[in-house]
Amino acid sequence: PSNPSMPYEGMNTWHKFEGNGYNFLNIALQFDPNDHDLRWAQKIINENPGVPTILTTHAYINGGGYQSGYTNIWHEFVKLNPQVVMTINGHIDAEHRVIDTNIAGQQVHQMLVDYQGTEFPGYFQGAGYLRTMEFDTDASVVRVKSYSPITKSYLTDGDSQFNIPLNFKQ
C-alpha cells in the first residue's frame, strides 16, 4: 500500500499459504511501521478473520525484549489480534524470544533471529545459520531450530531450539 508519510511506501505485503490442509497468513511490515502501516495490517486481518497469522518485520524485538521505538507494533496491533500467533524479526545481531499474552489470554511467541554479525570461529560472520520452523499440525506444535548448512550443526540453547504449542484445530 502507498504510505504518504514514509519514503518506503509500498513495502508492506501479505501472503496466504496452505500446509497440510490448513491456511496461514503472513503479514510482512516494512522497517519502522507507523500508524498508517498498522491500519493497513488491521485491514488485512479483518479481511481474513480467524486465519492463524505470522507477523514479520525488520525491527521489533531486541536481545532484551521490545526494541525502543517499536512497542506500537505490540500495543496497537499484535496484542489486539488473537489470530496473530507469532512474530519474527531481525535487525539486531542476536536471537531472543518474548512470550506475551494478547487480549484473549493467549500466548504470542515473538522472536528475534539475526545471525549476520555473530562470530563463529573459523567461519565468516553468521556461518550460514538460519531459522527453520516445522509446523506439525497433527501434534499441534511448531518445532523451531537454528541450523547452518555450512557448519552442518544446530545451535541448541533455549533461544535457538524450542517448541511452540499451537492449536491448529480451532
Side-chain angles (χ1 to χ4, degrees):
S2 64
N3 185 332
S5 63
M6 296 291 274
Y8 337 113
E9 74 175 65
M11 299 296 288
N12 299 318
T13 62
W14 66 277
H15 314 273
K16 241 183 185 174
F17 61 98
E18 185 265 331
N20 200 26
Y22 292 90
N23 288 314
F24 299 92
L25 180 66
N26 172 246
I27 296 177
L29 294 177
Q30 67 182 2
F31 175 76
D32 198 18
N34 64 14
D35 291 342
H36 178 88
D37 301 306
L38 296 178
R39 280 193 304 274
W40 171 84
Q42 187 61 56
K43 178 179 174 273
I44 301 306
I45 289 279
N46 294 347
E47 291 171 355
N48 295 276
V51 179
T53 302
I54 301 166
L55 175 76
T56 54
T57 190
H58 186 75
Y60 178 44
I61 301 296
N62 64 22
Y66 293 104
Q67 190 174 351
S68 177
Y70 300 100
T71 58
N72 64 320
I73 299 169
W74 170 255
H75 292 292
E76 298 172 26
F77 183 69
V78 175
K79 180 180 181 178
L80 303 179
N81 287 289
Q83 77 185 56
V84 177
V85 296
M86 75 176 68
T87 72
I88 306 165
N89 72 278
H91 186 66
I92 305 291
D93 294 334
E95 59 180 2
H96 187 64
R97 289 193 298 152
V98 173
I99 302 170
D100 262 331
T101 304
N102 64 24
I103 62 168
Q106 302 163 328
Q107 289 185 338
V108 182
H109 294 262
Q110 303 168 94
M111 42 191 133
L112 162 66
V113 184
D114 190 334
Y115 304 109
Q116 68 183 344
T118 306
E119 295 288 337
F120 294 95
Y123 297 95
F124 188 70
Q125 289 180 320
Y129 276 95
L130 51 92
R131 174 68 38 103
T132 65
M133 292 187 281
E134 174 192 1
F135 288 69
D136 186 338
T137 56
D138 294 329
S140 294
V141 67
V142 179
R143 292 183 188 88
V144 179
K145 295 181 179 181
S146 296
Y147 177 75
S148 169
I150 294 170
T151 67
K152 296 180 178 38
S153 63
Y154 289 92
L155 299 174
T156 57
D157 62 274
D159 282 332
S160 299
Q161 198 169 101
F162 53 91
N163 292 333
I164 299 173
L166 192 57
N167 185 355
F168 293 97
K169 314 264 189 286
Q170 293 181 354

